[in-house]
Amino acid sequence: MKPYIVGITGGSGSGKTSFIDRIREAFTEEELCVVSQDNYYLPIEMQAKDRNGVENFDLPSSFDHEGFYEDMLRLIKGENVTKDEYIFNDPSAIPSKITFYSAPIILIEGLYVFHTKKMRDLIDLKVFVHAKDEYKIIRRIIRDQTERNYPVEDVLYRYQHHVMPNFEQYIKPHLDKVDLIVNNNEHFEQAFRVLQGFLRNHLRECRVKNAGI
C-alpha cells in the first residue's frame, strides 16, 4: 500500500519540533518515518541576501524543493534515502549521514512543505502548528541562543526582517487550507492525542487490509 503522508508546517517558534518529537516517540521506525525539510537547505553560498548583506534562510528559495520531492517519491516507492544531515552553517561541524527508512506513515515537516503544488498533491493530511507571535519570538530566542549560539541581536534582526515577513507572505496563507490546526500557545497535548489516535487507527486498517480480512 502507498504510505500515508502527513505534512506539518508552522511558523518558526511555533513548536513544530516539539510536537513532531512527541509523535516520533509514539511510533516505531517500522511504523513512522519523519523527514525534516531542514535537511534540504541549499548551501550558504546559494542563499539570497537582504539589503544589508545578511543571508535570508527563511525564503522558499532557501530549499532544494526538487531534491526533497524526488526523495519523497523514493520513500513512497518503498526505498530508503540516505543524505548528509544539515548542520546549520556551522563550518566547524562535520555532517553526519542520516537515513530515512520508508514506512507505512511518512511525516514530512518544514516551513515550506506545502509550497509547491506537486508536493501538496502527495500529502494526505495537512497539519499547521500555530502560536501567538509573542510565544514564537521567545521560543526562537531561546532555541537560537542555547542550541546554535546565535547572538540575541542576530536573532531579533532575522525575526523582524526575514522570519515574520516570509511567514505572512508564504506560510500563513496555508492556515485556511489545512486539515488540522494545532494551537500551541501553552500546550499541544489534546491535539497530539487526536493525531496519534488517528494514525494508530490508520495502521490498524493497513494491517487488516494486508491480512486480507
Side-chain angles (χ1 to χ4, degrees):
M1 293 180 61
K2 173 186 174 295
Y4 190 79
I5 312 300
V6 180
I8 298 183
T9 195
S12 179
S14 61
K16 292 190 305 297
T17 300
S18 297
F19 185 69
I20 291 160
D21 284 346
R22 284 294 305 278
I23 297 172
R24 192 200 306 264
E25 293 167 0
F27 297 89
T28 67
E29 281 192 351
E30 290 74 28
E31 295 172 325
L32 174 73
C33 171
V34 178
V35 183
S36 174
Q37 193 179 34
D38 282 358
N39 290 301
Y40 293 85
Y41 267 111
L42 293 170
I44 190 169
E45 59 270 15
M46 297 179 66
Q47 298 293 339
K49 295 182 180 181
D50 64 20
R51 66 182 65 183
N52 294 314
V54 179
E55 291 87 0
N56 188 341
F57 296 99
D58 288 272
L59 289 164
S61 60
S62 299
F63 297 89
D64 177 11
H65 293 281
E66 192 61 34
F68 188 34
Y69 177 75
E70 290 175 357
D71 282 352
M72 280 300 301
L73 292 181
R74 292 173 59 191
L75 288 168
I76 289 172
K77 292 177 181 177
E79 302 175 17
N80 300 328
V81 173
T82 299
K83 67 185 315 321
D84 287 339
E85 184 176 21
Y86 182 64
I87 54 175
F88 294 96
N89 299 299
D90 183 352
S92 64
I94 299 175
S96 302
K97 290 289 185 182
I98 55 174
T99 300
F100 305 123
Y101 297 96
S102 185
I105 299 172
I106 299 175
L107 189 158
I108 62 173
E109 67 90 8
L111 295 175
Y112 294 110
V113 294
F114 302 153
H115 186 69
T116 65
K117 182 181 184 303
K118 61 183 181 181
M119 184 64 81
R120 291 196 303 272
D121 289 344
L122 293 180
I123 299 172
D124 299 297
L125 181 71
K126 298 178 179 68
V127 181
F128 198 114
V129 180
H130 197 39
K132 294 179 180 178
D133 291 340
E134 55 265 38
Y135 289 105
K136 291 192 290 184
I137 183 59
I138 290 170
R139 291 167 182 165
R140 171 98 179 195
I141 291 172
I142 293 172
R143 183 200 68 187
D144 283 359
Q145 283 197 301
T146 58
E147 296 181 12
R148 303 172 189 174
N149 200 31
Y150 293 170
V152 66
E153 294 83 3
D154 180 69
V155 178
L156 293 174
Y157 176 90
R158 291 180 183 276
Y159 197 87
Q160 178 182 357
H161 298 283
H162 301 172
V163 175
M164 280 306 297
N166 288 306
F167 172 78
E168 292 291 331
Q169 183 173 355
Y170 299 111
I171 303 171
K172 190 175 180 180
H174 292 289
L175 191 60
D176 296 330
K177 305 171 186 176
V178 298
D179 304 299
L180 177 65
I181 298 173
V182 178
N183 285 308
N184 185 29
N185 293 315
E186 297 181 7
H187 66 83
F188 51 66
E189 191 60 32
Q190 296 302 323
F192 161 71
R193 291 179 181 178
V194 168
L195 184 56
Q196 179 194 28
F198 176 81
L199 296 178
R200 281 280 173 215
N201 185 64
H202 175 76
L203 287 173
R204 283 193 294 268
E205 291 179 352
C206 287
R207 294 188 185 106
V208 169
K209 290 180 180 179
N210 288 336
I213 299 174

